[in-house]
Amino acid sequence: MIAVIFEVMPSDDGRAEYLERAAQLAPLLVDVDGFISVERFTSITTPGKMLSRLLDGRFYTATELAQHAGVAAPTASQHLKLLVDEGLARVRAQGRHRYYMLADGNVAHALEALLRVADGALPETTRWKAPSMRGLRQARSCYGHLAGVMGVDLCNCFVEKGWVEGDAQDYALTAEGAARMRDLGIVLDSGQRQLYGCVDWSERRDHFAGPLAVALLDNFIKRDWLRRSADSRALEVSAQGRKALADLMA
């Protein structure tokens, strides 16, 4: 048997639930000729493909997830029921449709950690130089917030400009940072933990996670600075967005 160990830094109040979610992911790994490969979790298994698709933080129907995983709708429904029963996904009924999403941020972070483990044995240039991965590395969604090179750059920008203070466990907005958010039209909920660090899959440095990180990505998309892809977590940067984001982070 081969065991894979990865190191994470969840918040103190989320540690137990994080470990529980990570343990629930383990039985979904595929055993091929006696070898368990973490990478196969998202590249081969139907539940893995579905969870990987749900990492962008949006709701999808069973039909859409079946198409993404390349399986029949009844097969997809069986796997989705398992994911919901195990607490890895949640479902919302709306009219005649049922929409699925990851259960919470702990599941998303556990999946990202598994992806980092899968890449751990690869040279830095192997995966991310592939043409199909360049857009994903540059900018992508990670459970509703901005990840990739652009997400890491945004995090660095906030720290360097003094818009946040603290550390990866809890980034607190400064007065200047709060004013900048108001300039963008983002309304803050003072009763929530707004920002914390999430180790980026490709860059191995922090990007922002948390309610404010989700609000920032939503804001960028509404302004047409970033555009979602129909079949990937990759985000397209518009010409307007390229200039606006460069000005924001200048």
Side-chain angles (χ1 to χ4, degrees):
M1 176 180 293
I2 296 176
V4 178
I5 301 173
F6 57 91
E7 183 177 4
V8 295
M9 293 182 63
S11 63
D12 291 340
D13 57 356
R15 186 179 304 276
E17 186 174 3
Y18 187 99
L19 292 173
E20 179 183 351
R21 292 283 192 258
Q24 289 169 340
L25 289 171
L28 297 176
L29 299 175
V30 175
D31 189 345
V32 179
D33 294 329
F35 178 75
I36 295 175
S37 167
V38 174
E39 187 171 5
R40 291 180 183 271
F41 173 70
T42 54
S43 64
I44 292 181
T45 72
T46 296
K49 288 180 180 178
M50 290 177 173
L51 288 172
S52 180
R53 188 70 184 101
L54 292 172
L55 261 175
D56 68 1
R58 292 185 286 175
F59 282 98
Y60 290 91
T61 65
T63 299
E64 291 168 334
L65 292 169
Q67 291 172 346
H68 180 74
V71 297
T75 301
S77 295
Q78 292 174 3
H79 287 296
L80 287 167
K81 183 180 185 304
L82 171 65
L83 294 176
V84 171
D85 289 346
E86 291 296 325
L88 301 176
R90 54 191 170 100
V91 60
R92 176 190 294 174
Q94 186 168 304
R96 295 181 299 171
H97 299 288
R98 290 165 63 83
Y99 294 91
Y100 295 86
M101 188 181 189
L102 286 185
D104 54 33
N106 285 329
V107 175
H109 295 159
L111 282 169
E112 284 274 324
L114 287 172
L115 291 171
R116 291 197 298 275
V117 172
D119 288 341
L122 296 175
E124 173 65 19
T125 56
T126 300
R127 176 184 294 274
W128 297 107
K129 277 195 172 180
S132 61
M133 300 295 285
R134 289 173 187 163
L136 201 63
R137 180 176 189 178
Q138 181 61 30
R140 64 181 180 274
S141 57
C142 173
Y143 198 60
H145 53 260
L146 179 61
V149 172
M150 188 165 291
V152 169
D153 286 348
L154 185 70
C155 180
N156 290 340
C157 164
F158 273 51
V159 172
E160 291 170 4
K161 287 180 176 290
W163 294 351
V164 294
E165 58 188 7
D167 56 30
Q169 294 289 343
D170 189 358
Y171 288 109
L173 275 177
T174 62
E176 185 178 358
R180 195 67 187 94
M181 295 305 96
R182 289 193 294 271
D183 291 342
L184 289 171
I186 295 176
V187 178
L188 305 175
D189 183 350
S190 59
Q192 285 186 299
R193 177 187 179 213
Q194 294 293 329
L195 287 174
Y196 53 90
C198 178
V199 179
D200 194 87
W201 171 27
S202 59
E203 305 312 298
R204 301 299 199 276
R205 291 179 290 162
D206 273 344
H207 61 243
F208 283 138
L212 178 54
V214 173
L216 279 165
L217 179 55
D218 286 345
N219 185 279
F220 296 165
I221 289 173
K222 288 176 181 176
R223 290 173 180 269
D224 196 36
W225 294 356
L226 298 174
R227 298 169 182 166
R228 293 190 185 275
S229 170
D231 57 1
S232 168
R233 288 197 290 142
L235 297 166
E236 177 189 356
V237 186
S238 68
Q240 174 192 5
R242 197 171 300 281
K243 181 180 185 306
L245 289 167
D247 290 343
L248 176 67
M249 293 188 274

